[in-house]
Amino acid sequence: MLPTKRLVWKLAGVALLLFTGAAIYLGYEICRLGTVSLIPVPSDATAISAPGPDCRVAILRSEYTSKFLEKRPNYYAHIEYWRKLAQGMRMPVDLIGDAQLEAGLQGFKILLVPSAICLSPKERASILAFVSKGGGVICTWATGARDETGTWKGLDFLTQLTGADSFDFTERSTPWYVSFVGGNPLTVGPPGGSRIQLDSPERLEAKSISVDGYWSDSRLFPVDPKLPSIFQGAALHRTAGMGRVVWFGFQENAAVAGGNNKTVLDFALKNALAWVGQNTLCAVNPWPAPHLSATVFGCDVEENYFNAVYAASALRRLKERGTFFCLSELVKEDADLIPQLKGVGEVASHGDTHAGFGRSGILSQFIRLAKSKWRLRRMGGGPVTGFHAPSDDFSDTTLKALAAAHYHYLLIGGENSTGADSVLPDIIRVSQSLRWFHRQMDLVRLTRTMDDDLHYSPLGIVGLSTSMITQRADSDFEIIHGLGGLYIFSFHSQGFSSPEYVGIFPAIVDRLQQSGTWIATADDVARWWELRSHLSVSISNQGANGVRIIVKYSGGSPLENAALSVYPPGNAVAARVIPAGGPQTSIQIIPNGAYSGFTLNLGKFNPGMTCQFDLLWGQ
């Protein structure tokens, strides 16, 4: 019996060591994680070539306007805001009065006309002459709608200056939002795909062939859903010969405090200053070339979980992929389900059960997340990197638990996305420090701003026809695609994955494929976005007809199909690349005739790679 007792004691000792190790690990992963910080990772600013000494800025300080307005300090605040922005970009700035503008501008490259509602006929003529000679003008609100005496003259001067069809003082209830359209010089870089909230008593809407920003609701829909966004313009730009004009229909200092409102608006204002001043702008494109937007088919596998196979089969026939967020305790009853879903894309976690996460402690959430991940992987789901909270019920504590359980991304929607300020993914850095110890992990957040299938109507999916569903999906996609963002077609196993609804997939996929959007799994998008965040760009002038661009990549894995958008001075229609040292990629140049810019497809970047080249252009 003695050897048996010794064996028992040995086993007990091993069990105690394992228990102690597990306790230490949980303490390491969980207890200290309760004090970590969650830090949003900002997007890289647009790279702008340095303005030369001839890039002088004139800002109109109109006495005609200040006499007409009741609150002169508010008017002067607009002038001061622009002055600081231009000086921060190292542009020499002069304040000019009405008489100097009436006499004609000499020696300036940029004219700023903020909130100048009162202009004399001579001032209007001087502004138009300045543009015709190659000058750049930025104006805000109802520029020149009154003459020097304050008499109303209408908005004809503004339509002549900007090229818009018309302007309207449309009554809209607050709050007010502006969403910026991607793919143009004003919104290249961080502004594209983002929306800001404004508190501006000066508000004007433009109707134009194209706009750079439009008045929207908080979810980035046009504020009047019955009208297209180009009928509700809030910002636009125009090339007039060699001259350039930018208009904003609101005050430049009106961004509401909090969030990214001021940061995004300042980026757009600086882009405008650089563009009208004939400086080169350059930024990394959001998506792999040649795509202008991205799409994810995301299925929540919960009630009637076996229906997910119908959606998987439809996507397989269409040669596309999807992401299936599974309730692990529910799907464990079907051993064949997970391998089938995995064969059509990606299996991710929807939690262990449908209970929410938002009110639970971090230890409870960690255990649930780790258990769900382990079970799905064991059932044949492969690596499980993503999570979509049941009923979109989660909190900041969930982000910490996700980092502890080594998830890579989080998909959010519902009420958690109503305040989303972008249709692009973003990165949350989960950072923990303890004396000499420091670690961090990046979580990619994918935001769904459109309704899922159960909210297509107040009655859910009851009575929805396939034609209505495809039209609604197409309308939602058009908004996201126009913004250059991520469209998430979110559906459920008890919803559009049901046999009576899967017939919608061919029409929807066909429309998406025609648009050139990148259809990918949520994990593909998250990995791309994380790797893309390690790409940085700098730019410097190389004489009068080109710039040197340096692209550095610090990611840990190869990055495929990275691309840049470049907006040069003048009306360049052709460009060529000359290598400037270091390893080179095969760069493809695609002209963007609409905005006199170029897309540079850079190809593949390996970790630690730096690419340098000169981009030279001609007329």
Side-chain angles (χ1 to χ4, degrees):
M1 296 295 295
L2 188 58
T4 303
K5 288 183 179 180
R6 287 179 179 175
L7 179 60
V8 170
W9 280 108
K10 286 182 179 180
L11 292 174
V14 171
L16 179 61
L17 287 173
L18 291 174
F19 178 81
T20 303
I24 293 174
Y25 173 76
L26 286 175
Y28 169 77
E29 290 285 353
I30 300 299
C31 296
R32 297 309 308 176
L33 270 176
T35 62
V36 301
S37 57
L38 302 174
I39 306 170
V41 178
S43 300
D44 284 340
T46 308
I48 299 174
S49 62
D54 64 330
C55 193
R56 293 183 60 203
V57 178
I59 306 180
L60 176 64
R61 181 179 168 124
S62 171
E63 289 303 312
Y64 298 146
T65 298
S66 65
K67 289 178 182 179
F68 174 79
L69 298 175
E70 294 180 359
K71 299 180 180 179
R72 296 186 183 184
N74 290 352
Y75 169 64
Y76 297 144
H78 305 318
I79 296 166
E80 182 63 14
Y81 199 91
W82 281 108
R83 185 183 69 83
K84 289 182 178 179
L85 276 177
Q87 289 179 338
M89 298 175 67
R90 299 183 179 181
M91 295 178 175
V93 179
D94 290 325
L95 301 184
I96 65 171
D98 296 302
Q100 189 173 353
L101 180 56
E102 288 172 336
L105 292 178
Q106 300 293 332
F108 293 101
K109 204 166 189 177
I110 300 173
L111 171 64
L112 300 180
V113 192
S115 300
I117 191 172
C118 298
L119 294 176
S120 69
K122 289 184 178 180
E123 285 179 300
R124 296 177 200 159
S126 179
I127 292 172
L128 294 175
F130 180 71
V131 174
S132 69
K133 296 175 182 178
V137 173
I138 300 177
C139 57
T140 62
W141 194 39
T143 303
R146 297 179 182 274
D147 66 14
E148 68 273 26
T149 67
T151 302
W152 180 257
K153 294 297 180 179
L155 299 171
D156 290 345
F157 170 71
L158 195 58
T159 58
Q160 184 181 6
L161 179 64
T162 63
D165 293 331
S166 64
F167 292 89
D168 295 301
F169 292 99
T170 308
E171 291 291 332
R172 305 287 188 195
S173 59
T174 57
W176 293 335
Y177 300 93
V178 170
S179 292
F180 289 112
V181 178
N184 62 69
L186 264 63
T187 63
V188 63
S194 300
R195 69 117 174 96
I196 57 174
Q197 184 176 353
L198 299 173
D199 183 11
S200 173
E202 300 175 359
R203 186 184 178 285
L204 191 61
E205 294 184 7
K207 183 186 296 184
S208 183
I209 296 175
S210 63
V211 298
D212 304 298
Y214 58 86
W215 295 99
S216 73
D217 61 16
S218 63
R219 300 182 66 186
L220 294 88
F221 284 89
V223 65
D224 186 345
K226 298 178 182 178
L227 296 175
S229 60
I230 59 173
F231 282 24
Q232 303 171 73
L236 56 86
H237 77 279
R238 175 198 183 198
T239 299
M242 292 301 295
R244 294 176 170 183
V245 178
V246 169
W247 169 82
F248 295 101
F250 50 87
Q251 296 173 341
E252 64 292 305
N253 60 353
V256 172
N260 291 325
N261 295 311
K262 185 178 184 303
T263 300
V264 170
L265 179 54
D266 280 355
F267 277 136
L269 299 177
K270 291 177 182 177
N271 284 352
L273 274 167
W275 185 73
V276 299
Q278 305 282 349
N279 299 290
T280 305
L281 295 88
C282 179
V284 180
N285 285 2
W287 305 111
H291 306 293
L292 302 178
S293 65
T295 295
V296 167
F297 284 91
C299 178
D300 288 343
V301 183
E302 38 189 58
E303 294 180 37
N304 301 334
Y305 61 85
F306 41 82
N307 281 341
V309 174
Y310 297 116
S313 298
L315 289 173
R316 182 184 294 109
R317 287 192 295 270
L318 296 165
K319 298 182 180 179
E320 295 295 353
R321 306 168 72 208
T323 300
F324 298 87
F325 297 94
C326 300
L327 292 175
S328 56
E329 290 300 307
L330 187 64
V331 299
K332 71 178 183 181
E333 303 299 330
D334 189 339
D336 296 329
L337 177 66
I338 297 302
Q340 292 183 68
L341 301 182
K342 174 66 176 177
V344 189
E346 172 201 5
V347 171
S349 173
H350 197 35
D352 51 350
T353 69
H354 208 267
F357 279 70
R359 295 175 180 81
S360 302
I362 189 169
L363 177 59
S364 172
Q365 293 194 46
F366 169 79
I367 292 173
R368 291 180 61 190
L369 289 167
K371 182 172 65 173
S372 176
K373 183 177 184 180
W374 173 82
R375 185 174 293 281
L376 291 173
R377 180 163 188 163
R378 187 183 179 191
M379 292 178 68
V384 175
T385 64
F387 173 68
H388 179 205
S391 303
D392 288 293
D393 181 9
F394 70 95
S395 64
D396 284 352
T397 300
T398 310
L399 302 182
K400 301 172 185 178
L402 284 167
H406 301 288
Y407 281 77
H408 185 227
Y409 73 86
L410 166 71
L411 185 147
I412 68 173
E415 293 183 359
N416 280 296
S417 66
T418 55
D421 57 11
S422 178
V423 292
L424 295 173
D426 63 339
I427 296 175
I428 302 296
R429 183 154 294 156
V430 186
S431 181
Q432 176 189 2
S433 296
L434 180 62
R435 295 183 181 177
W436 63 88
F437 170 77
H438 177 78
R439 70 171 179 178
Q440 63 185 29
M441 178 179 175
D442 289 346
L443 275 174
V444 181
R445 183 166 53 185
L446 312 179
T447 303
R448 170 177 58 81
T449 56
M450 301 298 176
D451 290 327
D452 62 18
D453 58 344
L454 301 185
H455 296 86
Y456 260 38
S457 77
L459 299 177
I461 63 173
V462 176
L464 294 181
S465 66
T466 54
S467 61
M468 181 274 174
I469 294 170
T470 54
Q471 289 174 6
R472 169 67 185 275
D474 184 59
S475 176
D476 288 352
F477 169 74
E478 279 299 312
I479 293 172
I480 302 295
H481 183 67
L483 291 166
L486 171 64
Y487 173 57
I488 300 176
F489 184 74
S490 181
F491 58 102
H492 293 74
S493 51
Q494 69 271 32
F496 291 166
S497 191
S498 302
E500 60 267 33
Y501 288 110
V502 291
I504 64 175
F505 282 91
I508 293 175
V509 168
D510 180 64
R511 174 67 184 90
L512 295 174
Q513 290 174 339
Q514 290 181 24
S515 73
T517 188
W518 178 36
I519 302 178
T521 67
D523 181 68
D524 290 335
V525 170
R527 289 186 181 280
W528 161 263
W529 202 256
E530 194 276 328
L531 292 175
R532 176 193 173 277
S533 71
H534 297 286
L535 207 62
S536 62
V537 181
S538 61
I539 186 171
S540 59
N541 291 311
Q542 289 292 107
N545 295 313
V547 291
R548 173 160 295 178
I549 297 176
I550 302 176
V551 185
K552 297 182 178 180
Y553 179 59
S554 58
S557 301
L559 178 66
E560 302 273 1
N561 299 320
L564 302 178
S565 287
V566 180
Y567 295 95
N571 296 327
V573 296
R576 67 185 188 276
V577 168
I578 299 178
Q584 298 296 314
T585 63
S586 178
I587 299 176
Q588 180 186 15
I589 303 176
I590 302 175
N592 182 347
Y595 299 129
S596 298
F598 302 97
T599 297
L600 307 183
N601 295 346
L602 302 180
K604 180 179 179 180
F605 278 82
N606 290 314
M609 181 175 171
T610 297
C611 177
Q612 301 184 53
F613 57 91
D614 292 337
L615 183 66
L616 308 178
W617 42 73
Q619 299 300 318

